[in-house]
Amino acid sequence: IGHFKDQLAILSLNHCSFDPLAFIKCFKAIFKCTNLHTLGLNTLEVEGHAITLLNQMITNRKVQVVDESGIPKKDQPALENKDWAIDTRFFENIHTLNLKANAIGNEYLIYIAQTKEILPNFPNLVSLDLFGNSLGMKGLEILQDSFEELKKLRKLNLGLNTLAMQEGRLDVYLSSGVARLEELSLEGNWYQDSQQLDSLSQSLLHFEKLKILDLKTNRFGPAGAKSLAVGLKTLISLEELYLFRNKIGDEGVESLMGAVSQLVNLRRLDLIGNMLGPEGAKVVGRHLPPLVKLEHLDLSFNKIGGALDSILTGLTGRKLQRLALKS
Protein backbone atom coordinates (compact mmCIF):
# COMPACT_ATOMS: atom_id res chain seq x y z
CA ILE A 1 0.00 0.00 0.00
CA GLY A 2 2.77 2.41 0.90
CA HIS A 3 4.60 1.71 -2.36
CA PHE A 4 1.52 2.63 -4.45
CA LYS A 5 0.25 5.48 -2.25
CA ASP A 6 0.41 8.05 -5.07
CA GLN A 7 -1.35 5.83 -7.63
CA LEU A 8 -3.85 3.81 -5.60
CA ALA A 9 -7.45 4.77 -6.42
CA ILE A 10 -9.48 1.76 -5.21
CA LEU A 11 -8.71 -0.31 -2.12
CA SER A 12 -10.86 -3.02 -0.60
CA LEU A 13 -10.04 -5.02 2.52
CA ASN A 14 -12.45 -7.95 2.74
CA HIS A 15 -12.58 -10.62 5.46
CA CYS A 16 -9.29 -9.45 6.95
CA SER A 17 -8.25 -10.30 10.49
CA PHE A 18 -5.95 -7.87 12.30
CA ASP A 19 -4.52 -7.48 15.75
CA PRO A 20 -4.70 -3.79 16.85
CA LEU A 21 -1.05 -3.02 16.06
CA ALA A 22 -1.34 -4.48 12.56
CA PHE A 23 -4.57 -2.54 12.00
CA ILE A 24 -2.86 0.73 12.96
CA LYS A 25 0.15 -0.02 10.77
CA CYS A 26 -2.09 -0.75 7.81
CA PHE A 27 -4.13 2.42 8.21
CA LYS A 28 -1.07 4.60 8.69
CA ALA A 29 -0.27 3.63 5.10
CA ILE A 30 -3.86 3.98 3.87
CA PHE A 31 -4.17 7.52 5.25
CA LYS A 32 -1.28 8.57 2.98
CA CYS A 33 -3.12 7.47 -0.17
CA THR A 34 -4.33 10.90 -1.22
CA ASN A 35 -5.63 9.74 -4.64
CA LEU A 36 -7.84 7.03 -3.12
CA HIS A 37 -11.50 7.52 -4.06
CA THR A 38 -13.03 4.13 -3.15
CA LEU A 39 -12.42 2.42 0.19
CA GLY A 40 -13.91 -0.92 1.16
CA LEU A 41 -13.66 -2.16 4.75
CA ASN A 42 -15.88 -5.23 4.75
CA THR A 43 -16.17 -7.93 7.41
CA LEU A 44 -13.06 -6.89 9.32
CA GLU A 45 -12.11 -8.86 12.42
CA VAL A 46 -10.11 -6.77 14.87
CA GLU A 47 -9.73 -7.09 18.63
CA GLY A 48 -11.40 -3.99 20.06
CA HIS A 49 -13.58 -3.70 16.91
CA ALA A 50 -12.49 -2.10 13.62
CA ILE A 51 -14.97 0.79 13.93
CA THR A 52 -13.64 1.72 17.38
CA LEU A 53 -10.01 1.76 16.26
CA LEU A 54 -10.80 3.60 13.04
CA ASN A 55 -12.80 6.20 14.94
CA GLN A 56 -9.97 6.75 17.42
CA MET A 57 -7.42 7.17 14.64
CA ILE A 58 -9.56 9.52 12.55
CA THR A 59 -10.42 11.71 15.52
CA ASN A 60 -6.72 11.74 16.50
CA ARG A 61 -7.16 10.07 19.86
CA LYS A 62 -5.09 7.45 21.59
CA VAL A 63 -6.10 4.00 20.46
CA GLN A 64 -7.56 1.94 23.27
CA VAL A 65 -8.55 -1.71 22.76
CA VAL A 66 -12.04 -2.30 24.22
CA ASP A 67 -14.36 -5.23 24.78
CA GLU A 68 -17.71 -5.64 23.01
CA SER A 69 -19.45 -3.24 25.42
CA GLY A 70 -16.87 -0.50 24.82
CA ILE A 71 -15.00 -0.90 28.11
CA PRO A 72 -11.18 -0.53 27.76
CA LYS A 73 -9.25 -3.75 28.34
CA LYS A 74 -6.90 -3.45 31.32
CA ASP A 75 -4.29 -5.75 29.78
CA GLN A 76 -4.05 -3.60 26.63
CA PRO A 77 -2.35 -0.21 27.19
CA ALA A 78 -3.41 2.76 25.06
CA LEU A 79 -1.39 3.25 21.89
CA GLU A 80 0.02 6.72 21.18
CA ASN A 81 -1.32 8.68 18.22
CA LYS A 82 1.81 10.67 17.46
CA ASP A 83 2.70 9.07 14.13
CA TRP A 84 -0.45 8.60 12.09
CA ALA A 85 -1.16 12.12 10.87
CA ILE A 86 -3.83 12.13 8.17
CA ASP A 87 -3.58 14.27 5.05
CA THR A 88 -6.91 16.11 4.64
CA ARG A 89 -6.90 15.17 0.95
CA PHE A 90 -7.51 11.59 2.01
CA PHE A 91 -10.96 12.52 3.34
CA GLU A 92 -11.77 14.94 0.56
CA ASN A 93 -11.11 12.46 -2.25
CA ILE A 94 -13.11 9.51 -0.90
CA HIS A 95 -16.46 9.32 -2.69
CA THR A 96 -17.27 5.63 -2.07
CA LEU A 97 -17.12 4.03 1.38
CA ASN A 98 -18.14 0.40 1.96
CA LEU A 99 -18.57 -0.83 5.54
CA LYS A 100 -20.38 -4.12 4.90
CA ALA A 101 -20.93 -6.69 7.65
CA ASN A 102 -18.91 -5.09 10.44
CA ALA A 103 -21.39 -5.80 13.27
CA ILE A 104 -21.88 -2.07 13.81
CA GLY A 105 -25.37 -2.49 15.23
CA ASN A 106 -24.60 -4.53 18.34
CA GLU A 107 -26.80 -4.41 21.42
CA TYR A 108 -24.74 -1.66 23.06
CA LEU A 109 -25.10 0.76 20.08
CA ILE A 110 -21.60 2.09 20.79
CA TYR A 111 -20.30 1.30 17.30
CA ILE A 112 -23.23 3.13 15.70
CA ALA A 113 -22.33 6.21 17.72
CA GLN A 114 -18.72 5.88 16.60
CA THR A 115 -19.81 5.49 12.97
CA LYS A 116 -21.76 8.72 13.45
CA GLU A 117 -18.45 10.44 14.31
CA ILE A 118 -16.59 8.88 11.37
CA LEU A 119 -18.95 9.64 8.47
CA PRO A 120 -18.93 13.49 8.50
CA ASN A 121 -15.15 13.40 7.95
CA PHE A 122 -15.90 12.41 4.33
CA PRO A 123 -17.56 15.56 2.93
CA ASN A 124 -17.61 14.37 -0.70
CA LEU A 125 -19.08 10.93 -0.05
CA VAL A 126 -21.39 9.89 -2.90
CA SER A 127 -21.88 6.20 -2.10
CA LEU A 128 -22.20 4.57 1.34
CA ASP A 129 -22.66 0.82 1.83
CA LEU A 130 -23.80 -0.29 5.30
CA PHE A 131 -25.13 -3.70 4.23
CA GLY A 132 -25.42 -6.39 6.89
CA ASN A 133 -24.79 -4.37 10.06
CA SER A 134 -28.05 -4.97 11.98
CA LEU A 135 -28.51 -1.23 12.47
CA GLY A 136 -32.26 -1.30 12.94
CA MET A 137 -34.33 1.88 12.95
CA LYS A 138 -32.67 2.84 16.22
CA GLY A 139 -29.33 2.85 14.44
CA LEU A 140 -30.67 5.08 11.65
CA GLU A 141 -32.00 7.46 14.27
CA ILE A 142 -28.52 7.73 15.82
CA LEU A 143 -26.97 8.26 12.37
CA GLN A 144 -29.53 10.90 11.38
CA ASP A 145 -27.21 13.88 11.90
CA SER A 146 -24.49 12.20 9.84
CA PHE A 147 -26.84 11.66 6.92
CA GLU A 148 -27.78 15.32 7.16
CA GLU A 149 -24.13 16.37 6.79
CA LEU A 150 -23.40 14.13 3.78
CA LYS A 151 -24.71 16.62 1.24
CA LYS A 152 -23.34 14.77 -1.79
CA LEU A 153 -24.62 11.30 -0.83
CA ARG A 154 -26.54 9.74 -3.72
CA LYS A 155 -26.24 5.97 -3.16
CA LEU A 156 -27.12 4.20 0.10
CA ASN A 157 -27.19 0.48 0.83
CA LEU A 158 -29.16 -0.43 3.96
CA GLY A 159 -29.71 -4.07 3.04
CA LEU A 160 -29.89 -6.71 5.77
CA ASN A 161 -30.18 -4.25 8.65
CA THR A 162 -33.33 -5.53 10.42
CA LEU A 163 -35.10 -2.23 9.68
CA ALA A 164 -38.54 -3.82 9.84
CA MET A 165 -37.95 -5.06 13.39
CA GLN A 166 -38.34 -1.60 14.95
CA GLU A 167 -40.76 1.27 14.51
CA GLY A 168 -39.64 4.39 12.70
CA ARG A 169 -39.90 6.28 9.42
CA LEU A 170 -37.09 5.85 6.92
CA ASP A 171 -37.61 9.29 5.39
CA VAL A 172 -37.43 10.97 8.82
CA TYR A 173 -34.13 9.36 9.82
CA LEU A 174 -32.53 10.04 6.43
CA SER A 175 -33.53 13.70 6.87
CA SER A 176 -33.02 15.96 3.86
CA GLY A 177 -30.99 13.20 2.22
CA VAL A 178 -34.18 11.55 0.94
CA ALA A 179 -34.61 14.31 -1.62
CA ARG A 180 -31.07 13.76 -2.93
CA LEU A 181 -30.78 9.95 -2.99
CA GLU A 182 -30.72 8.32 -6.41
CA GLU A 183 -30.04 4.71 -5.37
CA LEU A 184 -31.42 2.90 -2.31
CA SER A 185 -31.14 -0.74 -1.31
CA LEU A 186 -33.42 -2.20 1.37
CA GLU A 187 -32.72 -5.82 0.49
CA GLY A 188 -33.48 -8.50 3.06
CA ASN A 189 -35.02 -6.32 5.77
CA TRP A 190 -38.09 -8.57 6.04
CA TYR A 191 -40.81 -5.97 5.61
CA GLN A 192 -43.81 -8.18 6.37
CA ASP A 193 -45.76 -6.42 9.11
CA SER A 194 -48.60 -4.33 7.66
CA GLN A 195 -47.77 -1.30 9.81
CA GLN A 196 -44.12 -1.33 8.74
CA LEU A 197 -45.08 -1.79 5.10
CA ASP A 198 -47.45 1.17 5.29
CA SER A 199 -44.67 3.21 6.90
CA LEU A 200 -42.23 2.23 4.14
CA SER A 201 -44.79 3.08 1.47
CA GLN A 202 -45.33 6.52 3.00
CA SER A 203 -41.56 7.03 3.17
CA LEU A 204 -41.23 6.32 -0.55
CA LEU A 205 -43.37 9.38 -1.26
CA HIS A 206 -40.38 11.55 -0.33
CA PHE A 207 -37.70 9.99 -2.55
CA GLU A 208 -38.20 12.38 -5.43
CA LYS A 209 -34.97 11.66 -7.35
CA LEU A 210 -34.71 7.91 -6.77
CA LYS A 211 -33.52 6.05 -9.89
CA ILE A 212 -32.73 2.62 -8.46
CA LEU A 213 -34.72 0.83 -5.73
CA ASP A 214 -33.74 -2.61 -4.46
CA LEU A 215 -36.38 -4.42 -2.40
CA LYS A 216 -35.12 -7.97 -2.95
CA THR A 217 -35.97 -10.78 -0.51
CA ASN A 218 -38.27 -8.89 1.83
CA ARG A 219 -41.00 -11.51 1.33
CA PHE A 220 -43.81 -9.02 1.91
CA GLY A 221 -46.43 -11.09 0.04
CA PRO A 222 -49.61 -9.96 -1.77
CA ALA A 223 -50.76 -7.65 1.04
CA GLY A 224 -47.34 -6.01 1.10
CA ALA A 225 -47.44 -5.49 -2.66
CA LYS A 226 -50.73 -3.65 -2.27
CA SER A 227 -49.34 -1.47 0.54
CA LEU A 228 -46.16 -0.60 -1.36
CA ALA A 229 -48.04 0.31 -4.51
CA VAL A 230 -49.20 3.55 -2.89
CA GLY A 231 -45.69 4.93 -2.52
CA LEU A 232 -44.15 3.11 -5.46
CA LYS A 233 -46.26 4.79 -8.11
CA THR A 234 -44.94 8.23 -7.13
CA LEU A 235 -41.30 7.38 -7.95
CA ILE A 236 -41.50 8.87 -11.43
CA SER A 237 -37.70 9.10 -11.83
CA LEU A 238 -37.22 5.38 -11.14
CA GLU A 239 -35.19 3.50 -13.77
CA GLU A 240 -34.49 0.17 -12.05
CA LEU A 241 -36.71 -1.81 -9.67
CA TYR A 242 -35.61 -5.08 -8.05
CA LEU A 243 -38.34 -7.24 -6.44
CA PHE A 244 -36.62 -10.65 -6.36
CA ARG A 245 -38.38 -13.23 -4.13
CA ASN A 246 -41.10 -11.25 -2.43
CA LYS A 247 -43.95 -13.79 -2.68
CA ILE A 248 -46.13 -11.31 -4.57
CA GLY A 249 -48.21 -14.02 -6.25
CA ASP A 250 -51.12 -13.61 -8.63
CA GLU A 251 -53.12 -11.97 -5.85
CA GLY A 252 -50.70 -9.08 -5.33
CA VAL A 253 -49.41 -8.51 -8.85
CA GLU A 254 -52.41 -6.44 -10.03
CA SER A 255 -51.84 -3.73 -7.43
CA LEU A 256 -48.10 -3.84 -7.90
CA MET A 257 -48.13 -3.63 -11.71
CA GLY A 258 -50.77 -0.92 -11.57
CA ALA A 259 -48.19 1.17 -9.73
CA VAL A 260 -45.23 0.02 -11.84
CA SER A 261 -47.04 0.92 -15.08
CA GLN A 262 -46.89 4.58 -14.01
CA LEU A 263 -43.09 4.53 -13.80
CA VAL A 264 -42.59 5.66 -17.40
CA ASN A 265 -38.77 5.99 -17.05
CA LEU A 266 -38.32 2.37 -15.94
CA ARG A 267 -35.59 0.54 -17.85
CA ARG A 268 -35.23 -2.59 -15.72
CA LEU A 269 -37.82 -4.66 -13.84
CA ASP A 270 -36.89 -7.73 -11.79
CA LEU A 271 -39.76 -10.01 -10.73
CA ILE A 272 -37.68 -13.17 -10.20
CA GLY A 273 -39.20 -15.90 -8.05
CA ASN A 274 -42.44 -14.18 -7.03
CA MET A 275 -44.80 -17.16 -7.28
CA LEU A 276 -46.51 -15.82 -10.41
CA GLY A 277 -48.68 -18.23 -12.38
CA PRO A 278 -50.15 -17.84 -15.88
CA GLU A 279 -52.83 -15.42 -14.65
CA GLY A 280 -50.25 -13.29 -12.87
CA ALA A 281 -48.07 -13.24 -15.98
CA LYS A 282 -51.03 -12.03 -18.03
CA VAL A 283 -51.47 -9.17 -15.56
CA VAL A 284 -47.80 -8.26 -15.99
CA GLY A 285 -48.17 -8.30 -19.79
CA ARG A 286 -51.28 -6.13 -19.65
CA HIS A 287 -49.42 -3.40 -17.70
CA LEU A 288 -46.26 -3.36 -19.83
CA PRO A 289 -47.33 -1.09 -22.74
CA PRO A 290 -46.86 2.23 -20.82
CA LEU A 291 -43.26 1.24 -19.97
CA VAL A 292 -41.87 2.42 -23.30
CA LYS A 293 -38.26 2.66 -22.04
CA LEU A 294 -38.11 -0.88 -20.62
CA GLU A 295 -34.92 -2.70 -21.71
CA HIS A 296 -34.61 -5.57 -19.18
CA LEU A 297 -37.42 -7.75 -17.85
CA ASP A 298 -36.71 -10.76 -15.64
CA LEU A 299 -39.53 -13.20 -14.86
CA SER A 300 -37.31 -16.17 -14.05
CA PHE A 301 -38.47 -18.83 -11.59
CA ASN A 302 -42.17 -18.05 -12.02
CA LYS A 303 -44.63 -20.58 -13.44
CA ILE A 304 -45.99 -18.44 -16.27
CA GLY A 305 -46.85 -21.46 -18.44
CA GLY A 306 -48.76 -20.51 -21.59
CA ALA A 307 -48.90 -16.81 -20.74
CA LEU A 308 -45.73 -15.97 -22.65
CA ASP A 309 -47.77 -14.55 -25.53
CA SER A 310 -49.28 -11.99 -23.15
CA ILE A 311 -45.80 -10.89 -22.07
CA LEU A 312 -44.59 -10.62 -25.68
CA THR A 313 -47.68 -8.68 -26.70
CA GLY A 314 -47.09 -6.22 -23.86
CA LEU A 315 -43.51 -5.75 -25.06
CA THR A 316 -44.45 -5.02 -28.68
CA GLY A 317 -42.50 -2.14 -30.20
CA ARG A 318 -39.99 -2.08 -27.37
CA LYS A 319 -36.19 -2.00 -27.84
CA LEU A 320 -35.86 -4.82 -25.31
CA GLN A 321 -32.29 -5.96 -24.66
CA ARG A 322 -33.02 -8.85 -22.29
CA LEU A 323 -36.00 -11.01 -21.39
CA ALA A 324 -35.20 -13.70 -18.80
CA LEU A 325 -37.51 -16.67 -18.27
CA LYS A 326 -35.31 -19.19 -16.48
CA SER A 327 -36.97 -22.01 -14.60
Side-chain angles (χ1 to χ4, degrees), residues 1-13 16 18 22-36 39-41 90:
I1 292 173
H3 183 73
F4 294 104
K5 65 182 179 67
D6 295 325
Q7 292 85 34
L8 205 59
I10 300 172
L11 175 63
S12 187
L13 302 177
C16 294
F18 295 98
F23 183 89
I24 291 170
K25 187 174 183 178
C26 182
F27 272 86
K28 281 168 61 177
I30 292 173
F31 289 150
K32 295 177 182 177
C33 298
T34 54
N35 288 312
L36 199 67
L39 179 60
L41 306 172
F90 169 80

Side-chain angles (χ1 to χ4, degrees), residues 64-85:
Q64 176 67 64
V65 181
V66 298
D67 62 21
E68 64 177 7
S69 61
I71 299 173
K73 288 193 170 185
K74 295 180 180 179
D75 60 342
Q76 293 279 355
L79 304 172
E80 295 294 335
N81 58 4
K82 58 186 178 182
D83 58 353
W84 64 68

